[in-house]
Amino acid sequence: MKTSFKHYADLYLKFGSNDWKYSTYCKNEGIVKNRLSCFFDYDIKDIKPSIIRLWLNSIVDVGSKSKKHYLNSLSCIFNIALQDEIIDKNPIVYLKKLTYTAPKIEPFTDNEVQAILQESKRYGLNFRLFIYIGFFTGMRTGEILALKNSDIDLENRIISINATRSRFGETLPKTKKSIRKIPILNALYSVLKDRKNTKEYLLETQYGLPYRDCYIFQHNYWLPILKKLNINYRRPYTMRHTYATNMLYRNLITPVELANLLGHSSTKMIYDVYVNYLNRNLNDFDRNISIYS
């Protein structure tokens, strides 16, 4: 029986190709080829926890979140060998669990948002829609690109989110909770009513096709606008962070309601990222309030 690590890594990808989304397969395939290939020459029985620990410590170009993904793939490969009774125990269980700290965010200020929205008027409707939806719904950029005109109900002012798009194509959203409905605010309604609803997708290229990703928007419009306005660069995804923090800061919504609008499976991300950000950012705190009046 073949007992090389590479044999079991190949089985891991072969089994996954039937169970994973295409984007997930590509991600795990990249992990195996680019990060786990150093184990290819080993017999899987000879890979001890100390070897894995040295390998993990040698990775300095990514953070703990990526390392956790690598360890998860590695653990799954060992589990296949464990089921075949090639090894007696998965060596990953001896490793200390990695801690993941939620990334710090830097939302746009009110003035920056207004300036970006104003500057977007110099460009075509597609980009304006992309910007307004991002700032006024908190949708993920892939979800915006996947929006169809049939998903937009202007009469009841509701957007239905049913898909997401990336370079790997169109798939279901990130989680089950990501399939959701969100309200169309007045500021967004005024832009959406000017769209051409005869097309299938809300945003289509000159060839009548949906955008594969937001590269064109990001590099042709977004980046020049931020440079012109002298605003520190942040990727378009920051529109989602800006929407979320402002909804909470202005007490427009509860954390539970925000989690539902953003498509999170729980409120953990809300508290880890957005509430923590507001707790750290006390510059605008009203120090004139009277709490015992």
Side-chain angles (χ1 to χ4, degrees):
M1 178 179 287
K2 294 181 180 180
T3 60
S4 70
F5 176 85
K6 187 176 187 307
H7 169 70
Y8 281 97
D10 289 341
L11 285 179
Y12 166 66
L13 293 177
K14 185 175 183 179
F15 296 154
S17 65
N18 296 321
D19 301 328
W20 302 328
K21 293 193 300 185
Y22 179 63
S23 58
T24 303
Y25 176 84
C26 291
K27 175 183 176 180
N28 289 326
E29 182 185 39
I31 290 174
V32 169
K33 290 183 177 180
N34 301 322
R35 296 295 183 173
L36 305 184
S37 58
C38 59
F39 298 114
F40 281 0
D41 293 333
Y42 282 87
D43 188 296
I44 200 164
K45 299 190 298 293
D46 296 333
I47 303 176
K48 306 303 181 184
S50 59
I51 294 174
I52 299 172
R53 193 173 291 118
L54 286 171
W55 161 75
L56 197 62
N57 290 340
S58 71
I59 301 174
V60 296
D61 58 328
V62 297
S64 59
K65 183 177 182 181
S66 294
K67 290 182 181 181
K68 287 179 73 172
H69 289 313
Y70 305 161
L71 283 176
N72 180 66
S73 292
L74 191 57
S75 182
C76 289
I77 292 170
F78 282 122
N79 279 338
I80 298 173
L82 184 63
Q83 292 163 6
D84 280 352
E85 300 183 344
I86 299 300
I87 58 177
D88 297 323
K89 200 165 188 177
N90 187 329
I92 299 296
V93 301
Y94 294 105
L95 270 65
K96 182 180 179 181
K97 287 188 177 181
L98 294 175
T99 57
Y100 169 64
T101 303
K104 292 183 179 180
I105 59 173
E106 187 185 355
F108 293 103
T109 66
D110 290 355
N111 289 338
E112 288 174 335
V113 172
Q114 293 302 328
I116 292 170
L117 293 176
Q118 182 63 33
E119 194 64 26
S120 72
K121 296 178 181 179
R122 297 176 178 270
Y123 298 91
L125 182 59
N126 271 0
F127 179 66
R128 285 188 64 204
L129 286 169
F130 178 76
I131 292 295
Y132 271 76
I133 293 173
F135 278 124
F136 290 104
T137 69
M139 288 172 61
R140 301 176 179 95
T141 51
E143 293 171 344
I144 298 175
L145 299 181
L147 271 182
K148 296 178 173 64
N149 275 295
S150 58
D151 297 325
I152 300 169
D153 180 356
L154 285 186
E155 182 177 351
N156 296 301
R157 300 201 177 192
I158 294 290
I159 291 177
S160 299
I161 300 171
N162 302 300
T164 186
R165 291 192 63 82
S166 71
R167 64 183 186 277
F168 301 111
E170 187 166 318
T171 62
L172 291 174
K174 189 174 181 179
T175 65
K176 288 183 178 180
K177 280 281 189 177
S178 296
I179 300 175
R180 61 199 191 279
K181 296 181 184 296
I182 52 178
I184 298 174
L185 304 181
N186 289 340
L188 175 58
Y189 177 84
S190 63
V191 179
L192 280 176
K193 64 183 180 62
D194 294 331
R195 81 194 197 283
K196 295 181 179 179
N197 58 9
T198 55
K199 303 181 298 183
E200 180 180 6
Y201 286 87
L202 174 67
L203 306 180
E204 291 185 355
T205 68
Q206 59 182 320
Y207 305 107
L209 299 172
Y211 290 88
R212 188 183 69 167
D213 52 42
C214 62
Y215 178 88
I216 291 179
F217 294 141
Q218 185 170 349
H219 289 270
N220 290 7
Y221 315 123
W222 178 262
L223 182 58
I225 284 178
L226 296 188
K227 283 184 175 180
K228 180 179 180 180
L229 298 174
N230 199 27
I231 295 175
N232 289 336
Y233 179 80
R234 276 149 283 177
R235 58 187 182 137
Y237 199 89
T238 306
M239 294 187 293
R240 177 174 168 87
H241 298 322
T242 305
Y243 169 86
T245 52
N246 276 274
M247 291 289 273
L248 287 177
Y249 178 71
R250 300 175 190 280
N251 292 316
L252 301 174
I253 202 168
T254 67
V256 172
E257 290 170 328
L258 180 61
N260 289 331
L261 287 182
L262 294 181
H264 290 306
S265 56
S266 72
T267 57
K268 185 179 186 304
M269 181 67 74
I270 303 300
Y271 284 101
D272 286 350
V273 177
Y274 303 117
V275 174
N276 278 345
Y277 167 79
L278 293 175
N279 288 340
R280 292 193 310 267
N281 185 29
L282 297 177
N283 293 334
D284 298 325
F285 190 86
D286 183 2
R287 289 162 174 81
N288 294 318
I289 60 174
S290 177
I291 61 173
Y292 300 117
S293 57

